[in-house]
Amino acid sequence: MRQTLLLLVAFTASHFVSAQNLPVAKPADAKMKTFIDALMKKMTMEEKIGQLNLPGSGDIVTGQASNSDIGKKIKEGKVGGLFNIKTVAKIKAVQKVAVEESRLKIPMIFGMDVIHGYETVFPIPLGLSCTWDMKAIERTAQIAAQEASADGINWTFSPMVDIARDPRWGRIAEGNGEDPYLGGEIARAMVKGYQGTTGSYKNNNIMACVKHYAMYGAAEAGRDYNTTDMSRVGMFNNYMLPYKAAVEAGVGSVMASFNEVDGIPATGSKFLMTDVLRKQWGFKGFVVTDYTGINEMEAHGMGDLQQVSGLAMRAGIDMDMVGEGFLTTLQKSLKEGKVTVAQIDAACRRILEAKYTLGLFDDPYKYCSEERAAKEVFTDANRAEARQIAAQSFVLLKNQGGILPLQKKGTIALVGPLADAKENMPGTWAVAARFDKAISLFEGLRTVVGDKATIVYTKGSNLDADAKFEERAGMFGKDFKRDMRPAQEIIDEAVNAVKNADVIVAALGESAEMSGESSSRSNIEIPQVQKDLLAALLKTGKPVVLVLFTGRPLAIKSESENVPAILNVWFGGSEAGYAIADVLFGDVNPSGKLTTTFPQNIGQVPIYYNHKNTGRPLGEGKWFEKFRSNYLDVSNDPVYPFGFGLSYSDFYYGSVKLSSNTLKAGGTITASVVVTNNSRVSGKEVVQLYLRDMVGSITRPVKELKGFQKIELKAGESKTVEFKISVNDLKFYNSDLKFVAEPGDFKLFIGGNSRDVKEATFKLL
Ligand code: BGC
């Protein structure tokens, strides 16, 4: 099968597979082709266009599928698939309409936003990326696929791999941070996890859909859906690699992004959908628009619905999500010669191929087993894995005087609007979550300490002083039970409640819906009312641990200076409360490392570690020099750099050794470093490798991540960590967009974050 072939390529070749290397059709493809040829011969043009239509599921009441509005369309052959419909009973009922009551009995595909888990929810993707643990990440996708497929779903709108350098953008929460190399590795792991590794879909694998292609994360001013505009070298070197990695891993589908690229909305961009995706990268699956992506091209100013639908079809879009532009205008465009039969046929064929590959023609109910649904969803075993993985995603930002881990004794005061907010624990985009079963921090702490310590909880403040803001930030049923008393009264109550405590745990930050889609912020600090609470708690003189909930890097300069311990916990998923308790009490040693830079203030944004040097870089160790690239009012440094994260262990890095100071084409050199755990507790460390190309035909970043290894070291243990570097690791897109390595000098850095590194140099001959 085609799927098999693509996967094989991804496993056997290096990271960069050119379209020319893609395998030719094999017998399984021939069988599929024969089947689809025969089917398409029977299809009317209306039925072909029907396959390209992906409406939302609407209101399907159990037992009424056939008579629902959507049911009528399905019977007429006007629906290719549905999305965000949940439960085997409902999915089975609509599938039955398709395969029994439509003329050609073509099964439908069922999609859902299974983004970071299904009912068992894992950390938001930004948090998950901070594990730097590809096996764990793959496992989350595997479990998500297991649960979703047991419940009738066979297609997920994930992984989201948009690189983002702007924390104002709310959807930074859904991606893997700012680095394209790490983003690519995660894209591969997710695709493998969802689709499986056998090359054909078993009934517990689902088709992945990499999104949002392309450059969605580069929205100007961090405002969602906003324009992106950048150079082609910027695109290819900084944003494209994760999408490409997903394609190389055999992803079955791609979702077009809402934004424009080079002046053309992605949904209408032939450059993106055909020239790059299909011709350069050899993508063989299908492309779906984002939600009403075609219709929105009218507002972009690309013409009326017929014009923009034609534009999307000619660009290479196959499936139209929700807007029905294809369904309602393509026939007319065909008559007027604006689109061709060949274009519609190609799109229809790709949808049918996806269904064939998923095995839906053999068994339309392949994913509809009530027995599996009852046994395999939200199981204790899955939840236990979610708890472990969540604990790995937390990033210990500060631990002055070793306040953490806490002891399970005495009185612990738990304060803050996020402390007892179970619905907020799964985070944004958790459409299948069991919010009622999510574990709050309060519940997690109580369970983990049992009767060994007393936990005293007070809310201490609302999420935000502005009730309207809190309402917007509490969307989708995530309510904060607003306290209507004056803010000072609520703070005073908390200060009074912590009087007898030995330590204060302040659960502050953002709510789940303060990040995610259409949740951009122009102020990325902790809301002021919570800062006031924190100041009052610090004033008590008691030790304070800030447990920071967030879906984006926050500007926490003052907190980093004034609070002795900070554990950044993102949104950890359904088991978040337990996982946070595990780390706070040292049952799990934190090992997460940031995948985005934490700025000092909003004015430094965009700030990212892999920036260019400029012609006037600031002198080493300086924070201001006139006529240099800097600010009058703030240094260029972030508060916490990319790759940063502490542990309860202390890791020491020896000097970097290279097997040779020269690298020849076709050869490799090995860089090694001894890492020692200089502490009494065993822990995990992410050892990071960065390179700098000192002279290039285009300017090159001051550092680029090119490798990492997550190792475990027992107390006092040392390990030698080795990285092999080949010419491939030195390649970049030059100004002709050729992927090349250029001879010359390179610097190599190894360390536990992007700032604190040991370096060596070598030459590419
Ligand atoms: C989002 C996508 C999502 C789609 C379907 C859109 O609003 O941008 O990420 O997959 O909705 O729910």
Side-chain angles (χ1 to χ4, degrees):
M1 245 179 260
R2 179 155 292 160
Q3 204 62 34
T4 323
L5 300 171
L6 278 175
L7 281 170
L8 275 177
V9 169
F11 294 143
T12 50
S14 74
H15 292 171
F16 303 100
V17 180
S18 72
Q20 294 78 10
N21 291 342
L22 286 168
V24 289
K26 289 271 174 5
D29 286 317
K31 204 171 143 203
M32 172 166 78
K33 186 172 180 306
T34 311
F35 176 87
I36 292 175
D37 283 348
L39 177 59
M40 284 184 64
K41 273 203 189 108
K42 293 186 220 152
M43 293 173 84
T44 62
M45 186 47 71
E46 201 182 17
E47 284 164 333
K48 287 177 184 168
I49 294 171
Q51 286 301 307
L52 318 186
N53 190 29
L54 179 72
S57 51
D59 234 5
I60 297 166
V61 182
T62 314
Q64 305 274 305
S66 181
N67 299 323
S68 63
D69 286 349
I70 211 81
K72 281 180 205 130
K73 276 195 185 155
I74 295 170
K75 283 186 229 172
E76 290 164 8
K78 289 184 178 163
V79 181
L82 288 180
F83 77 98
N84 287 355
I85 169 170
K86 193 167 186 273
T87 74
V88 166
K90 281 191 182 176
I91 290 176
K92 217 170 174 177
V94 274
Q95 187 71 301
K96 192 161 184 279
V97 179
V99 300
E100 290 184 13
E101 299 186 59
S102 74
R103 191 179 77 89
L104 290 172
K105 310 189 173 3
I106 300 176
M108 294 197 298
I109 185 169
F110 292 95
M112 189 185 260
D113 288 286
V114 181
I115 308 295
H116 48 112
Y118 187 67
E119 287 194 12
T120 302
V121 183
F122 299 95
I124 54 167
L126 184 60
L128 204 52
S129 68
C130 294
T131 65
W132 296 62
D133 182 338
M134 297 308 115
K135 280 272 161 270
I137 291 174
E138 181 181 337
R139 185 73 189 128
T140 67
Q142 228 169 44
I143 292 175
Q146 181 87 27
E147 291 196 359
S149 65
D151 219 14
I153 308 297
N154 44 39
W155 180 32
T156 176
F157 303 138
S158 170
M160 191 279 213
V161 302
D162 303 321
I163 295 297
R165 294 171 159 183
D166 192 332
R168 290 173 295 185
W169 191 52
R171 300 198 84 171
I172 198 169
E174 293 175 55
N176 306 308
E178 69 192 33
D179 185 71
Y181 174 84
L182 180 62
E185 295 301 300
I186 294 176
R188 278 178 235 282
M190 294 292 287
V191 171
K192 240 162 107 179
Y194 288 130
Q195 297 191 167
T197 52
T198 61
S200 61
Y201 290 91
K202 296 197 195 137
N203 69 353
N204 60 0
N205 303 135
I206 59 179
M207 185 173 281
C209 180
V210 67
K211 72 186 187 187
H212 306 82
Y213 181 67
M215 274 74 75
Y216 184 36
E220 280 180 4
R223 188 153 54 75
D224 210 356
Y225 320 121
N226 206 3
T227 307
T228 65
D229 200 356
M230 70 176 85
S231 66
R232 292 265 163 118
V233 285
M235 267 180 210
F236 279 85
N237 285 313
N238 304 326
Y239 289 85
M240 288 296 211
L241 291 176
Y243 308 113
K244 183 169 182 276
V247 170
E248 287 164 8
V251 73
S253 62
V254 171
M255 186 185 290
S257 57
F258 286 127
N259 55 286
E260 66 169 79
V261 173
D262 260 2
I264 299 177
T267 313
S269 168
K270 181 174 163 294
F271 162 70
L272 287 178
M273 301 306 158
T274 300
D275 301 347
V276 176
L277 184 62
R278 295 197 184 280
K279 292 193 182 153
Q280 264 190 46
W281 298 349
F283 176 62
K284 295 282 191 276
F286 72 95
V287 183
V288 63
T289 70
D290 202 344
Y291 201 107
T292 61
I294 290 178
N295 317 59
E296 289 173 25
M297 287 200 284
E298 292 185 74
H300 275 286
M302 303 301 288
D304 63 19
L305 188 59
Q306 187 192 346
Q307 280 173 307
V308 296
S309 303
L311 182 66
M313 175 51 55
R314 292 190 300 274
I317 295 286
D318 303 306
M319 197 175 225
D320 174 4
M321 188 191 288
V322 174
E324 305 208 330
F326 279 175
L327 192 75
T328 55
T329 70
L330 280 188
Q331 291 269 25
K332 187 158 182 267
S333 291
L334 191 60
K335 279 196 202 103
E336 293 169 3
K338 290 177 179 142
V339 298
T340 64
V341 171
Q343 283 160 347
I344 297 173
D345 274 0
C348 175
R349 179 177 293 277
R350 291 182 192 126
I351 307 297
L352 296 175
E353 282 176 352
K355 294 179 177 182
Y356 184 97
T357 314
L358 277 166
L360 295 173
F361 284 106
D362 287 339
D363 178 7
Y365 304 110
K366 178 173 166 184
Y367 296 88
C368 293
S369 151
E370 277 93 354
E371 205 192 322
R372 279 192 60 204
K375 277 208 304 229
E376 294 177 23
V377 182
F378 205 56
T379 61
D380 289 347
N382 291 352
R383 294 181 66 186
E385 283 197 63
R387 175 174 175 171
Q388 269 177 22
I389 292 171
Q392 281 208 68
S393 73
F394 306 151
V395 185
L396 182 62
L397 296 176
K398 188 174 175 191
N399 193 17
Q400 192 179 307
I403 293 188
L404 289 174
L406 301 177
Q407 298 192 21
K408 290 178 190 164
K409 67 175 196 198
T411 300
I412 299 165
L414 175 65
V415 186
L418 275 308
D420 189 23
K422 61 158 66 185
E423 301 92 345
N424 278 272
M425 297 299 103
T428 189
W429 274 120
V431 295
R434 302 274 298 270
F435 291 105
D436 57 324
K437 299 267 181 175
I439 307 300
S440 71
L441 179 54
F442 188 23
E443 193 177 341
L445 287 180
R446 274 184 309 190
T447 310
V448 168
V449 296
D451 53 15
K452 292 190 189 127
T454 309
I455 314 280
V456 183
Y457 161 74
T458 35
K459 187 169 170 184
S461 82
N462 285 311
L463 182 72
D464 194 274
D466 177 359
K468 284 269 177 266
F469 180 90
E470 184 162 310
E471 207 178 292
R472 291 195 290 273
M475 281 169 79
F476 305 121
K478 292 164 195 163
D479 183 17
F480 277 93
K481 297 167 203 75
R482 191 170 178 81
D483 192 326
M484 304 309 279
R485 290 175 297 163
Q488 194 55 49
E489 199 178 319
I490 311 174
I491 291 177
D492 291 345
E493 179 184 63
V495 170
N496 195 39
V498 305
K499 273 207 174 103
N500 297 321
D502 300 301
V503 60
I504 300 169
V505 174
L508 309 179
E510 298 191 318
S511 66
E513 298 306 330
M514 277 170 74
S515 60
E517 187 169 353
S518 186
S519 292
S520 295
R521 292 181 69 198
S522 68
N523 169 354
I524 54 165
E525 296 185 21
I526 297 172
Q528 189 57 45
V529 69
Q530 296 187 53
K531 287 182 148 202
D532 295 344
L533 168 64
L534 185 60
L537 296 174
L538 287 166
K539 225 170 128 195
T540 64
K542 291 183 187 287
V544 176
V545 176
L546 170 57
V547 172
L548 187 61
F549 290 85
T550 178
R552 55 162 58 80
L554 293 177
I556 49 166
K557 184 160 190 289
S558 70
E559 291 77 8
S560 76
E561 287 162 356
N562 299 318
V563 186
I566 306 176
L567 181 70
N568 195 344
V569 297
W570 313 109
F571 292 97
S574 44
E575 315 307 309
Y578 293 142
I580 299 169
D582 290 340
V583 171
L584 288 179
F585 291 111
D587 296 334
V588 176
N589 190 351
S591 61
K593 300 269 191 177
L594 297 178
T595 57
T596 46
T597 303
F598 272 47
Q600 295 190 50
N601 63 25
I602 193 82
Q604 285 186 313
V605 167
I607 179 171
Y608 44 90
Y609 85 95
N610 49 351
H611 60 84
K612 302 288 185 71
N613 201 37
T614 81
R616 294 189 178 194
L618 197 56
E620 188 86 8
K622 298 266 173 53
W623 92 261
F624 179 78
E625 285 178 287
K626 195 66 187 169
F627 306 118
R628 294 272 151 192
S629 179
N630 48 213
Y631 301 99
L632 287 174
D633 55 349
V634 67
S635 75
N636 285 352
D637 301 328
V639 174
Y640 298 112
F642 176 86
F644 180 84
L646 302 172
S647 158
Y648 298 150
S649 312
D650 293 318
F651 298 106
Y652 171 81
Y653 284 71
S655 55
V656 176
K657 296 208 169 59
L658 294 185
S659 60
S660 164
N661 290 331
T662 53
L663 175 60
K664 295 190 197 95
T668 58
I669 53 173
T670 303
S672 60
V673 67
V674 176
V675 185
T676 305
N677 179 351
N678 269 343
S679 74
R680 298 217 182 115
V681 274
S682 74
K684 290 180 181 165
E685 168 72 341
V686 181
V687 183
Q688 301 158 38
L689 168 80
Y690 297 89
L691 292 180
R692 177 171 179 185
D693 188 348
M694 298 308 290
V695 178
S697 60
I698 62 168
T699 59
R700 309 287 296 118
V702 297
K703 260 176 208 153
E704 288 180 290
L705 182 74
K706 290 293 174 179
F708 57 88
Q709 289 177 41
K710 190 163 186 175
I711 57 167
E712 184 155 16
L713 290 175
K714 295 201 193 75
E717 193 187 0
S718 293
K719 262 185 196 161
T720 303
V721 178
E722 289 187 348
F723 293 96
K724 277 208 181 343
I725 296 123
S726 74
V727 175
N728 241 345
D729 299 312
L730 313 183
K731 288 186 176 169
F732 62 96
Y733 289 90
N734 68 13
S735 54
D736 297 325
L737 299 182
K738 296 240 159 59
F739 197 57
V740 296
E742 295 175 346
D745 290 331
F746 287 81
K747 271 192 183 171
L748 178 151
F749 314 87
I750 298 181
N753 65 66
S754 62
R755 180 189 60 201
D756 306 312
V757 288
K758 299 276 167 91
E759 75 180 65
T761 56
F762 69 92
K763 207 182 251 309
L764 174 64
L765 297 178

